[in-house]
Amino acid sequence: KQWYQRRVREHHPIQPRRITLQELATHNKLGDVWTAIHGQVYDITAYINYHPGGVAELMRGAGIDSTDLFNEVHKWVNFQNMLKEYLVGYLVQAPATTLQVPGQASLNAPRLSNSYPSKQLPIATSFAYDSYQTERCYTLIVYGKVAKCNKIKSCYFYGTVGNDFLTVIVHCLQKQFKLSLELHANIKKFDIRKTNLKFELVLYKEINGMWPNEGKHKPQSKTTTEKSNLEYFQAKCIENTAVSHDSRLVTFEFLGDFYAIPPLGSHVYVYNNDKDSLIDKKPYTVFNVIDSRKFQLLVKKYENGILSSYICALKPDEIVEMQGFDHFIDMNVLLKVKSLVILAAGTGITPFYRIMKEISTNQNFNEHSCTLMFYNKKKKDILIPEELDQLKNGIASIEITHALSQEDAEMWDGLSGRINSSHLDKFSNQSIFLICGPAPFVHLAAGLLKEKGVSKANIKEFVG
């Protein structure tokens, strides 16, 4: 770990940006070595002398897209986690744009291990199971088998993984695939890798060596059934931070051996700790996923809001009863057109932050534009402005416009007032429009779009 520890001490985080093959090719000499793996560009200069395979082997990938070379030798390696500190950008085909780099954000959560196949992935209708192993790892793979229609459908999972057992459910559409087995031997840790239609569970063996098989499968393991009801679980508050005068970012960690990757746009239902209250539970959008153990909710405290007051007052180590996960966003819908417009008001930004992160890092969107129209009352009400600005530097072209309805004129020279038709005139009727916010805002925005001539199919309303 010497190279890693030294590099972390010396490393100054930068905001990843768009990098062309031409620029990548200029970093191909000792002392300045970049390489691209699955669309992500890394500065591996500090790692060269510590690579177990030697300098010459690693230099084969210097200044080029080395995805194929990597897959030949290290396909099972979780490179995103190992190299996450050294990410410098995302590989694009078009000329790179010079972009303003904002300050380091407070919500710089690590990404999940993702790789993205070519555009227009097919819809998953059933599942297949496979596995392979090395001396160190045993990898279990669940594939979404595809039909002819060309659509991306998000898979997600939840489950329990212990040192000698696992039960994992993978969901896609209205189907689920179950894996439940007693492992052949103990494991010391595991990693999760996923694409839209594939999950890999990488089990790191406690004692190196080849296993005769993964272990003993329990009844109903490796079976496909209709999607079950929402899952109950407990989560512990580990951090509660103010992000505005009336909103909190609350970070939770699943308890026990429970793990999950909630889908884009999904809700968790938070149960009231007061069993005598008239309100039993309420859905909240998963704002951010840190990893398979931690996620975040962005919650605005309302004066008479029973659940919002409860969540905003949580202290570290307090345990919350929850249920999840429902809803998901079909990202393929957003691939159908080149222009995406997001209309958000207040905490209506919560479902869109993860969507915009996905668009900014997924190479499928390298020819798309995304515009966020973010409506608030005053400047102090704008949530996560720095984190949103960071998304401008990704693969897709992202533009953000703030509109304030109650700010003093001398304090604000940007767009003013509530949403109206003049705000929407510049957008093509062929764009896809996503809307979220208070019910009156959603109703007004959807009505204005219909008057403008936007088809119902191109208007997506998010409701709690």
Side-chain angles (χ1 to χ4, degrees):
K1 295 184 178 179
Q2 180 185 2
W3 73 273
Y4 179 85
Q5 294 166 346
R6 182 167 67 88
R7 185 72 173 102
V8 168
R9 288 195 297 270
E10 297 173 353
H11 182 60
H12 299 285
I14 62 173
Q15 177 61 31
R17 58 184 177 82
R18 303 161 80 178
I19 296 171
T20 64
L21 283 168
Q22 291 81 358
E23 180 182 357
L24 176 62
T26 65
H27 300 275
N28 64 346
K29 303 176 182 64
L30 287 175
D32 181 19
V33 185
W34 290 13
T35 193
I37 306 173
H38 289 294
Q40 301 183 26
V41 180
Y42 298 95
D43 177 0
I44 58 173
T45 306
Y47 179 52
I48 285 288
N49 293 325
Y50 299 92
H51 182 237
V55 173
E57 183 67 15
L58 204 58
M59 286 299 292
R60 293 173 61 201
I64 66 171
D65 183 347
S66 62
T67 301
D68 290 341
L69 291 172
F70 176 86
N71 287 338
E72 286 178 8
V73 185
H74 298 305
K75 185 176 182 179
W76 60 89
V77 173
N78 187 348
F79 69 93
Q80 292 100 330
N81 185 59
M82 186 175 74
L83 299 176
K84 63 186 178 185
E85 298 291 335
Y86 317 108
L87 180 71
V88 292
Y90 305 101
L91 194 62
V92 296
Q93 299 300 320
T97 303
T98 302
L99 298 167
Q100 181 72 28
V101 178
Q104 187 72 6
S106 60
L107 295 181
N108 194 15
R111 288 183 304 280
L112 296 170
S113 300
N114 287 316
S115 58
Y116 298 100
S118 59
K119 294 183 181 180
Q120 302 301 319
L121 295 180
I123 192 170
T125 54
S126 59
F127 298 91
Y129 171 72
D130 198 0
S131 64
Y132 66 90
Q133 66 172 312
T134 66
E135 291 279 337
R136 296 177 55 246
C137 309
Y138 208 114
T139 301
L140 311 180
I141 309 172
V142 178
Y143 298 94
K145 297 181 70 175
V146 298
K148 292 182 179 179
C149 48
N150 250 355
K151 289 187 178 180
I152 295 175
K153 289 295 183 181
S154 298
C155 291
Y156 69 101
F157 96 106
Y158 67 81
T160 55
V161 182
N163 66 343
D164 61 355
F165 74 96
L166 63 85
T167 298
V168 173
I169 307 294
V170 177
H171 285 282
C172 190
L173 300 179
Q174 298 303 313
K175 300 287 186 179
Q176 69 175 29
F177 182 86
K178 181 177 183 179
L179 272 181
S180 184
L181 66 151
E182 298 174 0
L183 298 175
H184 174 75
N186 286 0
I187 61 171
K188 55 185 177 182
K189 64 176 183 176
F190 72 94
D191 280 337
I192 297 163
R193 304 172 189 160
K194 80 177 189 71
T195 63
N196 286 295
L197 294 174
K198 182 175 75 171
F199 269 85
E200 295 185 30
L201 193 60
V202 185
L203 309 173
Y204 292 88
K205 301 170 183 177
E206 190 172 279
I207 300 175
N208 290 350
M210 301 301 287
W211 293 358
N213 51 54
E214 60 263 48
K216 181 181 179 181
H217 284 267
K218 297 180 180 180
Q220 305 304 314
S221 184
K222 297 194 290 186
T223 58
T224 301
T225 59
E226 293 296 321
K227 185 175 176 181
S228 62
N229 295 327
L230 299 177
E231 180 75 5
Y232 288 90
F233 57 87
Q234 290 183 316
K236 176 176 66 176
C237 171
I238 59 176
E239 190 174 1
N240 189 337
T241 306
V243 291
S244 76
H245 66 100
D246 61 1
S247 298
R248 313 281 299 187
L249 181 70
V250 188
T251 305
F252 293 95
E253 181 176 21
F254 298 117
L255 290 186
D257 295 320
F258 188 82
Y259 298 81
I261 298 178
L264 292 173
S266 63
H267 292 148
V268 293
Y269 290 83
V270 179
Y271 279 83
N272 194 348
N273 65 334
D274 182 359
K275 304 304 180 184
D276 296 326
S277 173
L278 294 177
I279 299 178
D280 179 44
K281 62 182 178 181
K282 184 178 178 182
Y284 288 89
T285 304
V286 176
F287 171 72
N288 191 34
V289 175
I290 297 175
D291 56 35
S292 59
R293 289 287 286 174
K294 302 182 187 72
F295 68 97
Q296 295 173 312
L297 300 182
L298 181 59
V299 180
K300 178 179 179 179
K301 181 180 178 181
Y302 292 92
E303 183 177 351
N304 297 316
I306 297 175
L307 263 298
S308 67
S309 298
Y310 165 53
I311 297 172
C312 289
L314 286 172
K315 295 179 174 57
D317 294 328
E318 286 194 64
I319 296 173
V320 180
E321 302 284 339
M322 295 185 179
Q323 189 182 26
F325 302 90
D326 69 349
H327 301 305
F328 65 87
I329 304 302
D330 181 356
M331 292 300 290
N332 188 72
V333 170
L334 310 186
L335 280 175
K336 291 180 179 179
V337 299
K338 299 298 185 183
S339 173
L340 171 67
V341 181
I342 295 175
L343 306 175
T347 52
I349 193 63
T350 53
F352 299 137
Y353 179 64
R354 285 182 70 199
I355 292 173
M356 292 176 69
K357 281 179 67 177
E358 180 79 4
I359 291 171
S360 73
T361 58
N362 188 329
Q363 281 198 309
N364 285 308
F365 291 94
N366 64 354
E367 297 178 357
H368 287 65
S369 67
C370 173
T371 300
L372 168 65
M373 302 288 292
F374 195 11
Y375 292 84
N376 288 280
K377 293 179 180 179
K378 297 190 174 186
K379 287 176 67 174
K380 67 178 183 178
D381 297 317
I382 299 175
L383 299 173
I384 57 165
E386 293 181 357
E387 290 76 11
L388 291 173
D389 281 342
Q390 279 194 347
L391 301 179
K392 296 177 182 178
N393 300 332
I395 288 174
S397 173
I398 294 180
E399 177 184 339
I400 299 173
T401 299
H402 294 284
L404 303 180
S405 60
Q406 296 182 13
E407 190 60 270
D408 295 335
E410 60 269 19
M411 298 286 292
W412 180 250
D413 59 0
L415 194 63
S416 298
R418 292 181 170 84
I419 188 171
N420 59 67
S421 58
S422 67
H423 296 176
L424 305 176
D425 287 342
K426 65 179 180 179
F427 301 117
S428 166
N429 286 5
Q430 304 307 310
S431 302
I432 289 180
F433 295 84
L434 307 181
I435 312 171
C436 189
F441 172 83
V442 174
H443 180 74
L444 175 59
L448 291 170
L449 291 173
K450 291 172 184 175
E451 291 177 6
K452 174 177 163 62
V454 179
S455 69
K456 185 177 180 180
N458 282 15
I459 302 173
K460 313 296 180 183
E461 301 177 19
F462 289 67
V463 294

